[in-house]
Amino acid sequence: VKLAVYDDYRVGVVQDDGLHDVTAAIPGWDPSWPQTFMLRTIADFAALRPAIERAATDSPARALDGVKLLPPVPCPNKIVAAPTNYVRGAVQRADLESMYGPQTRNVRDLGMFLKAPSSLVGAGDPIVLPYPDRRTDYEAELAVIVGQPARHVSRAEAMRYVFGYAVALDVTVRGGEERSQRKSYDTFTPLGPWLTTADEVSDPDGLAIRLWLNGDLRQDGSTAQMILGIAELIEYTSDVMTLYPGDVISTGTPDGMGPLADGDTVIAEVEAVGRMTLRVRAAAR
Ligand code: MN
């Protein structure tokens, strides 16, 4: 199932013929208080799935380009992200060393970091650059959406805790401030275009991940290149903090990250998960 949140926080199922409104099957749906209903839907999805699928069958398809897509998890308890979870080639390493000095550590040494949930936007919103004079990079990432509370979960059990997947961008202002601040500006975590449940992704550790900047292919990797795979990331992170339904784990970015500028168009794609197109603009000062 592909679950989208759109327009006034309505919920839809994406199928080949378009978007089917299933809002009536979502318990506790309240567009004036969108913080909770998708978290409940994810936590209770096994029980809710028949009603959601029935509602999808009963509602007409509408075109996806006629709606505004919002983040498929509007208000997660947290966004946890992996720094340096792909082996760096010489060019990317030199680029990073020019900003941060020697790059000798990866996710195994650095651990995970947090991004503010308020940095989320959907595929229908622009990325806003807060400081047009400072380098601000795109990073295309596979996002893992947690399905059940997870604490001290072994890697052997970890995939049971995955609800689904989405495409994420981990946008980053370069500089000397704390990493969590540089990655937490509003609009710095585009997530979408929808949430694809885990049963639709047969090999999450072998998905092509690509990003185009103004039509040029800039990132072309595979989740097979991750240093810590999805199960290991869940094991590692759940030893630190309880993961809750709807929590987002952004799994790191392959080589090719680079700067954004006002007026750019970014396309980010993860095989079997989705593709989203985002515009970039400078903040009004
Ligand atoms: Mn990242």
Side-chain angles (χ1 to χ4, degrees), residues 213-268:
L213 182 67
N214 302 326
D216 294 335
L217 182 63
R218 295 295 180 88
Q219 293 192 281
D220 187 11
S222 166
T223 59
Q225 302 161 328
M226 293 197 296
I227 293 168
L228 293 183
I230 295 164
E232 291 168 295
L233 287 171
I234 292 169
E235 177 182 69
Y236 185 102
T237 308
S238 74
D239 270 349
V240 179
M241 60 188 91
T242 303
L243 296 170
Y244 291 100
D247 278 0
V248 177
I249 303 173
S250 205
T251 58
T253 198
D255 269 11
M257 66 177 110
L260 295 167
D262 185 31
D264 282 349
T265 299
V266 176
I267 299 174

Side-chain angles (χ1 to χ4, degrees), residues 127-278:
I127 298 166
V128 179
L129 307 177
Y131 312 116
D133 53 336
R134 287 181 61 178
R135 178 168 161 178
T136 305
D137 283 5
Y138 56 81
E139 301 180 0
E141 310 205 356
L142 169 68
V144 175
I145 313 300
V146 173
Q148 297 299 325
R151 180 70 170 146
H152 299 306
V153 171
S154 73
R155 71 189 66 180
E157 299 289 319
M159 298 308 284
R160 295 187 193 180
Y161 293 82
V162 176
F163 178 75
Y165 303 95
V167 183
L169 262 76
D170 175 20
V171 181
T172 308
V173 173
R174 298 300 174 185
E177 300 94 339
E178 294 286 352
R179 189 191 309 257
S180 281
Q181 175 175 316
R182 290 187 291 101
K183 292 169 170 282
S184 286
Y185 289 86
D186 285 5
T187 78
F188 271 26
T189 313
L191 185 74
W194 41 74
L195 207 169
T196 301
T197 52
D199 57 298
E200 295 203 10
V201 181
S202 55
D203 181 18
D205 287 308
L207 302 175
I209 176 166
R210 298 190 184 92
L211 181 140
W212 291 262
L213 182 67
N214 302 326
D216 294 335
L217 182 63
R218 295 295 180 88
Q219 293 192 281
D220 187 11
S222 166
T223 59
Q225 302 161 328
M226 293 197 296
I227 293 168
L228 293 183
I230 295 164
E232 291 168 295
L233 287 171
I234 292 169
E235 177 182 69
Y236 185 102
T237 308
S238 74
D239 270 349
V240 179
M241 60 188 91
T242 303
L243 296 170
Y244 291 100
D247 278 0
V248 177
I249 303 173
S250 205
T251 58
T253 198
D255 269 11
M257 66 177 110
L260 295 167
D262 185 31
D264 282 349
T265 299
V266 176
I267 299 174
E269 177 185 82
V270 177
E271 179 184 2
V273 173
R275 161 194 279 235
M276 56 182 182
T277 301
L278 297 142

Side-chain angles (χ1 to χ4, degrees), residues 83 104-112 228 236:
T104 56
R105 305 200 295 168
N106 64 44
V107 62
R108 291 184 190 279
D109 321 292
L110 296 165
M112 305 292 279
L228 293 183
Y236 185 102

